[in-house]
Amino acid sequence: YIWNGFDAQADTVWVDFSANELGSLTKLAITDNGTGIDYEKLALKFHPFYDSEKAIAIATPKHTSAMHGKNGVGRLTFFTFAGQAKWRSVAAQNNTLVRTDIAITAEGLNTYIADLHTQVSDTTTGTRVSFQELSLSQQDLEQTVIPFLIQEFCWFLELHKEQQYQIIINGTPLVYDSNI
């Protein structure tokens, strides 16, 4: 999900989570300030399962990094840790901003529900994906996911330090210096 944000030309990706008193996650959301999801291309991005226009576009050089979502399954892998994912994406369309709300359940990965909103109060583009029915714990995030993020993104963030690319977790920038 973070790579999807950077692939969409975001310079900042936020990961926000909270847990209950037993340590189970009650909230997990990933937000970026990228270009958003084009409603006209939803069929390419969300169906059919295991296909992606990024696989075709990967041969084209990009201004930031090679596209990372190339197998067409990344956006749907939430089924391994959540029962449902909801996207709220704002994109530019015909010189105006439009919002698309998308919902998918783990039981129906090939079926999505999407609503287009042409009257929006949003002022910038970007995408937020939130997950419901989580099976992750705060300990999973802190001991496994965040160290993985440091390993996965340290080189990318370092190469784009001048452009101030960053991943912010619960309000704190991801510190990756120890991995450089």
Side-chain angles (χ1 to χ4, degrees):
Y1 298 95
I2 294 171
W3 277 127
N4 283 346
F6 288 131
D7 285 349
Q9 302 173 3
D11 61 19
T12 305
V13 177
W14 294 265
V15 178
D16 295 297
F17 67 91
S18 58
N20 62 22
E21 56 279 352
L22 299 175
S24 296
L25 287 191
T26 57
K27 172 187 151 189
L28 175 61
I30 301 170
T31 308
D32 68 62
N33 63 352
T35 57
I37 299 171
D38 184 345
Y39 182 81
E40 306 280 323
K41 296 181 180 176
L42 282 182
L44 292 172
K45 295 186 175 292
F46 287 89
H47 190 75
F49 185 62
Y50 215 94
D51 194 13
S52 172
E53 83 278 4
K54 287 183 192 173
I56 297 165
I58 194 76
T60 307
K62 303 294 178 216
H63 71 280
T64 56
S65 70
M67 292 289 238
H68 286 83
K70 32 185 182 294
N71 297 323
V73 296
R75 69 193 164 272
L76 301 175
T77 58
F78 71 86
F79 74 90
T80 63
F81 61 87
Q84 184 178 50
K86 293 182 180 180
W87 287 258
R88 174 163 279 191
S89 187
V90 177
Q93 182 179 352
N94 300 324
N95 296 322
T96 187
L97 294 179
V98 297
R99 188 183 84 221
T100 303
D101 295 328
I102 306 155
I104 302 177
T105 64
E107 294 84 29
L109 293 176
N110 281 326
T111 306
Y112 62 90
I113 298 169
D115 295 312
L116 178 66
H117 304 274
T118 56
Q119 303 285 323
V120 298
S121 59
D122 302 273
T123 58
T124 60
T125 62
T127 300
R128 177 181 181 88
V129 59
S130 58
F131 305 97
Q132 290 75 42
E133 303 167 32
L134 294 157
S135 61
L136 289 172
S137 69
Q138 183 172 352
Q139 183 177 0
D140 293 333
L141 273 171
E142 292 173 349
Q143 293 182 0
T144 304
V145 175
I146 292 174
F148 171 80
L149 295 179
I150 292 168
Q151 182 179 345
E152 176 75 6
F153 289 97
C154 65
W155 67 271
F156 181 80
L157 295 171
E158 185 67 16
L159 285 175
H160 294 91
K161 191 185 324 188
E162 297 287 323
Q163 294 92 357
Q164 299 181 349
Y165 278 41
Q166 56 186 339
I167 297 170
I168 300 180
I169 300 174
N170 280 353
T172 304
L174 182 69
V175 178
Y176 60 86
D177 298 352
S178 64
N179 212 47
I180 298 293

